[in-house]
Amino acid sequence: MKTSDEVRSFTVEADDDGIRVDRWFKRHLPQVGFGTVSKWARTGQVRVDGKRVKPDDRLAQGQQIRVPPGGDAPHKKDKPKRELSKAEIEQAEAMVIHQTKGALVLNKPPGLATQGGTNTFNHVDGLLDAFAPGEEDVRPRLVHRLDKDTSGVLLVARTPGSAAFFSKRFSGRSAKKIYWALVMGVPDIKEGVIEAPLAKQPGSGGEKMHVDHEGGQSAKTKYRVVDSAGKKAAWLELQPMTGRTHQLRVHCAAMGHPIVGDGKYGGKDAFLTGAVSRKMHLHARRLIIDSPDGGKLDVTAELPEHFAGSMEHLGFEESASDATPMRDDPPPKSREEKKQQARQHAKNFRKSQRSPRRSRGAAGKPGPKPKPKGKR
């Protein structure tokens, strides 16, 4: 690439088709500030196919961008790539379960943070340099995250364009994420929706969430019981319809069935005795999302060792669930519920055919009590 002391020329790639001029600079020349881009556009120094442009004009694939000399802001330059050890590179590569031109899909192990923080130095984001070894290689970027102790599917964008594409799908809720969880006890209603607004718990420094019906943000989770081990534990499919921090963990605890191993939200009641691991049992099993290359990206992640061992100990067969996204309409009625509904319909029909004289004596009797809805 030419230095900033010379006029530079760039070709708009397919990944940048439709992007705004100012956004293009932010992606490819982040050292050039917005104020400088605006000044260059106003004075005609930056041109596209020889014509003047505005910062909010859209670019098209194949166009030529003329960039004048200068404009560098040293304090805005990208951070240098970190030199990774051989073990770190192997750790990063071992997580890859699927890749396309625009995406890397990882199976994140439990105990590995997605991003860095206080006293957190080993994390997925820090390992992404393994996939961009050269100085000119584009560094992949995270587009969503998983809790440190949650395992499973984690999507990483390989280009700026695919990052914007995937981020829009996550924020628009069109991405389908299905989790597997082992919980304490067995929910009475086998399939349903948990709707409970969430907020940061006061005094926790933002590290813990709680249900707050007054000031919380709306949060919605679909769930389905796949199997149960007597009354002590159940295997659930969970599908978050919103993306709040710790949403699945708080919602499970709120309905009285904390996730096995989640002492943060279930306390001492979140642990099973015997051969079941004390690690958290929450796994992002499947992700279905539109692909920028066309079609769908549909990926499933294998269980970590501790989760698979607990499943076997409790007698659960993985084949009992294919992690299918849950229906938007109410769950279908069971055969017994359908029979009961048919009997009630026939009874009501016979009653409507009775003569007024025969029905007069029953006028004061109460009708049948309504049955609770839901799949039990």
Side-chain angles (χ1 to χ4, degrees), residues 97-98 103-106 143-144 146 152-156 166 169-170 174-179 240 283-290 296-301 322-325:
I97 55 176
H98 185 76
L104 285 171
V105 187
L106 313 180
V143 290
H144 70 128
L146 295 175
V153 179
L154 183 68
L155 179 65
V156 180
F166 288 131
R169 269 66 194 170
F170 279 114
S174 64
K176 306 293 184 184
K177 296 178 287 183
I178 300 90
Y179 291 72
H283 178 73
R285 175 65 171 179
R286 185 179 181 185
L287 172 67
I288 305 172
I289 190 171
D290 292 336
K296 294 278 187 182
L297 193 60
D298 187 347
V299 187
T300 299
D322 58 5
T324 300

Side-chain angles (χ1 to χ4, degrees), residues 48-106:
V48 175
D49 286 348
K51 298 177 181 178
R52 298 172 71 113
V53 290
K54 297 177 181 177
D56 59 353
D57 283 347
R58 301 280 175 177
L59 297 171
Q61 180 182 357
Q63 288 183 323
Q64 295 292 314
I65 305 174
R66 177 199 183 276
V67 179
D72 288 354
H75 64 285
K76 289 189 176 181
K77 288 185 177 179
D78 285 342
K79 293 184 296 184
K81 292 179 181 178
R82 187 166 67 92
E83 284 292 328
L84 299 180
S85 66
K86 181 179 179 182
E88 287 175 317
I89 293 174
E90 290 176 350
Q91 181 185 15
E93 293 175 343
M95 289 191 290
V96 178
I97 55 176
H98 185 76
Q99 54 185 312
T100 66
K101 181 181 177 181
L104 285 171
V105 187
L106 313 180

